[in-house]
Amino acid sequence: MTDPQRKLIIAIDGPAGAGKSTIASRLARKLGYVNLESGAMYRALALRAIEWDASFDDEAALLKMAQDSRIMLEPAIGGNRVLLNGKDISARIRERDVSEGASRVSVHPKVREWMVARQREMGIAGGVVMEGRDIGTKVFPDADLKIFLDADPVIREQRRLDQQKAKGAPAQAIAAELRERDRRDRTRAASPLEAAEDAVVLDSTNLSENEVLNRIEELVEQRVAARR
Ligand code: DC
């Protein structure tokens, strides 16, 4: 029987720009849970590959690099910190070359297997909001609550542009990169981005951040009540 005292495992999946990171971190803070951003682990590996001049296509080399790296996710209130072998890479992994690299290293089944095993270890005790692409389908298929957060591609592109504008990045290139990353994440053979059958699909196109958060909080309350 489920222990009613055990804190939940909440999975939030969806494409880039749907608002997962903000929602997951706000939700975790409200619930007193830990927010684990699985994409940051693929980003850390991509950065390692860039620094070591390794190919994003070399699965064996990437797996070895992952095994030899210490990738740490440190949830913090002002934004999660990501450490690679003790070095803070939180800002660097948001750059465009790393975003593309993360999507490319994540196509490899052996890399995914390794990442999924680490992610399970991190979340298994519960009290986590884990976000990514395959959390509800592969990492925690028995998660207590699964959300698939989506939004119209035009809106997602606009949100990414707003985030990157301050860095002076060219708009057309950003939109094209987002589209290509989406295509790769959805069509790869190993754990493509898709909603789990039992996920609640939320479309944030016409919803404010607070509306999305309120809706998810209602669902959390329902799940908690159902276990009493
Ligand atoms: O969520 P994000 O944008 O930081 O993720 C970066 C890339 O990592 C994304 O393009 C695909 C990959 N990823 C994945 O394959 N599975 C996850 N659970 C999280 C991210």
Side-chain angles (χ1 to χ4, degrees), residues 37-46 48 62-63 65-67 69 71 73 84 102 105-106 108-122 130 134-135 138-140:
E37 198 192 335
S38 63
M41 297 177 68
Y42 292 96
R43 287 174 180 270
L45 178 60
R48 184 101 206 264
L62 291 167
L63 176 64
M65 267 183 201
Q67 288 166 338
S69 307
I71 301 173
L73 302 183
L84 174 62
V105 303
S106 68
H108 301 298
K110 291 202 172 88
V111 169
R112 300 200 67 81
E113 216 175 282
W114 188 88
M115 293 285 180
V116 167
R118 301 288 82 70
Q119 289 155 5
R120 283 192 185 132
E121 286 166 7
M122 286 190 258
M130 192 178 283
D134 62 342
I135 310 305
K138 287 286 179 327
V139 181
F140 289 115

Side-chain angles (χ1 to χ4, degrees), residues 171-183:
Q172 269 189 342
I174 293 175
E177 283 163 12
L178 187 88
R179 251 173 270 143
E180 172 54 17
R181 196 145 74 87
D182 246 19
R183 188 202 58 74

Side-chain angles (χ1 to χ4, degrees), residues 157-197:
E157 276 169 30
Q158 192 53 52
R159 288 178 185 160
R160 239 338 99 88
L161 283 175
D162 293 342
Q163 285 167 353
Q164 298 280 340
K165 224 183 322 189
K167 298 181 190 162
Q172 269 189 342
I174 293 175
E177 283 163 12
L178 187 88
R179 251 173 270 143
E180 172 54 17
R181 196 145 74 87
D182 246 19
R183 188 202 58 74
R184 192 185 295 114
D185 295 349
R186 286 180 201 270
T187 58
R188 68 184 176 217
S191 319
L193 168 66
E194 60 187 357
E197 268 180 24

